[in-house]
Amino acid sequence: MNDVRESGAAPSLIVRGTLVRVASLEADGFDHPTAVPALLSRVRQGPQALDIITLVQTLPHTSPEFSYPMEWDNAAAIPVSTFENWWNVQVDRKTRNVVRKSEKQGIVVSELAFDEPLVRGIVDIYNECPVRHGKAFWHYGKDFDTVKRENASFLERSVFLAALWQDEIVGFAKMVISNDGLQARLMQILSKVSHRDKSPTNALIAEAVRACAARNIGHLCYGRFSYGKKQRDSLTDFKENNGFKRVEVPRYYIPLTVRGKLAMRLGLQHRLADRVPESMLAVFRDARRRWYASAPSAS
């Protein structure tokens, strides 16, 4: 992956590709696009030549609002009204029992300030094990300063939740509120593998719903419900069990150059992984999972 973060006079971008350079906003999926013509002008005047920029609408904006070339993307979202509605209607008894069990085992979830104790707790979670979900964990090995800098993005409208067990931070979630205040999106949610039996991640989801309801935020999002051609997996099941549903949202691919227009005709605005048959990707994921499971450092 050749993703590079860039900033400066132009908005903060994540750029991928070499022959065809496709950019997305650092706030892609977190902020609803506004003043798009002015945005495109700033991007074109930026320090690097870009071929395509992609923008996605946030919830509840599910109808196309712009006339640029568009495809349908998706989000995993919980429509939030009250915590009680989520608890009694949107999740089943099994999920409620998991959250209750988490509480009985001593998990307490609280909103915390972004301070040194929280950052150190995040560092401990990151560095617990080098492999997660059958692949190398890309946060593993990061030091305090790196973790603090990376988690300080969108700080003025972020909510940090921590799952504590006997004063130890065993899980955390970072929730970013959109620029129009109508959506909150989980930028990260992660718990210690050694405390998986206490279901801290389920408890964090429950508290995230409560935090959205208290702030009159209508949707809580957790990435996509499905990714490309990937088959259903345990993460999809987890999201569904916790009340997340698939919601279709418009995604725009806007060519900025002649090369960008040609690339879009050839479908090159998408990642290579999105064009590989799912059967081949499944074989690769299985081989990778078995390799990491057999490696001496696997946890």
Side-chain angles (χ1 to χ4, degrees):
M1 182 172 66
N2 295 318
D3 289 3
V4 179
R5 294 179 186 272
E6 300 180 355
S7 59
S12 294
L13 303 172
I14 296 175
V15 181
R16 61 177 172 86
T18 51
L19 293 178
V20 178
R21 294 177 59 78
V22 181
S24 59
L25 296 177
E26 187 176 22
D28 189 64
F30 294 92
D31 279 349
H32 186 64
T34 58
V36 176
L39 170 67
L40 296 180
S41 177
R42 291 170 59 203
V43 168
R44 288 189 174 99
Q45 295 171 15
Q48 291 220 32
L50 302 172
D51 299 303
I52 299 170
I53 186 168
T54 179
L55 308 169
V56 65
Q57 293 181 195
T58 58
L59 296 178
H61 310 281
T62 56
S63 298
E65 296 181 359
F66 307 105
S67 59
Y68 304 107
M70 189 211 84
E71 299 177 7
W72 288 105
D73 204 336
N74 72 91
I78 297 175
V80 178
S81 55
T82 64
F83 177 81
E84 290 72 23
N85 184 69
W86 174 80
W87 183 257
N88 295 314
V89 178
Q90 294 173 274
V91 296
D92 59 19
R93 183 171 61 181
K94 180 179 178 181
T95 300
R96 292 194 293 270
N97 287 340
V98 169
V99 177
R100 289 191 185 104
K101 181 182 177 182
S102 180
E103 294 172 351
K104 289 178 180 178
Q105 290 181 302
I107 295 294
V108 177
V109 180
S110 302
E111 290 189 25
L112 295 183
F114 185 67
D115 55 12
E116 181 175 338
L118 176 59
V119 175
R120 295 203 179 280
I122 297 173
V123 171
D124 288 344
I125 294 171
Y126 282 177
N127 293 324
E128 183 191 23
C129 57
V131 177
R132 284 177 179 262
H133 307 296
K135 60 183 178 181
F137 182 48
W138 72 292
H139 286 302
Y140 182 77
K142 292 181 177 178
D143 60 21
F144 178 90
D145 290 337
T146 301
V147 173
K148 181 178 180 180
R149 182 180 67 254
E150 291 181 350
N151 280 278
S153 60
F154 311 108
L155 193 57
E156 70 284 355
R157 48 194 173 90
S158 293
V159 177
F160 289 90
L161 305 174
L164 296 101
W165 183 76
Q166 298 182 353
D167 296 326
E168 175 188 359
I169 296 177
V170 300
F172 87 102
K174 178 181 179 179
M175 191 169 70
V176 178
I177 300 171
S178 62
N179 51 354
D180 58 11
L182 301 178
Q183 170 194 287
R185 189 179 181 100
L186 290 165
M187 179 172 279
Q188 283 198 78
I189 181 167
L190 194 68
S191 299
K192 286 188 174 180
V193 175
S194 57
H195 291 272
R196 185 181 294 161
D197 62 312
K198 302 176 186 67
S199 304
T201 308
N202 295 82
L204 285 164
I205 294 289
E207 191 60 29
V209 173
R210 195 191 302 274
C212 286
R215 292 170 169 81
N216 295 315
I217 297 171
H219 288 86
L220 172 64
C221 295
Y222 183 4
R224 290 185 172 97
F225 192 83
S226 59
Y227 290 82
K229 301 175 182 178
K230 188 177 182 181
Q231 297 171 353
R232 191 180 184 94
D233 59 11
S234 60
L235 179 57
T236 305
D237 292 339
F238 176 82
K239 291 178 181 180
E240 190 166 64
N241 291 339
N242 283 275
F244 291 92
K245 304 295 183 185
R246 180 185 175 113
V247 180
E248 302 293 318
V249 289
R251 175 172 287 281
Y252 304 90
Y253 290 93
I254 306 170
L256 303 173
T257 63
V258 173
R259 180 164 51 184
K261 292 179 180 179
L262 177 60
M264 287 182 58
R265 292 178 185 174
L266 299 174
L268 299 181
Q269 71 271 32
H270 299 293
R271 295 176 183 269
L272 176 61
D274 295 331
R275 303 194 295 273
V276 176
E278 169 57 24
S279 57
M280 293 179 61
L281 292 175
V283 170
F284 167 76
R285 288 194 295 268
D286 183 62
R288 180 182 62 190
R289 184 165 47 247
R290 286 188 281 108
W291 187 89
Y292 278 116
S294 64
S297 61
S299 298

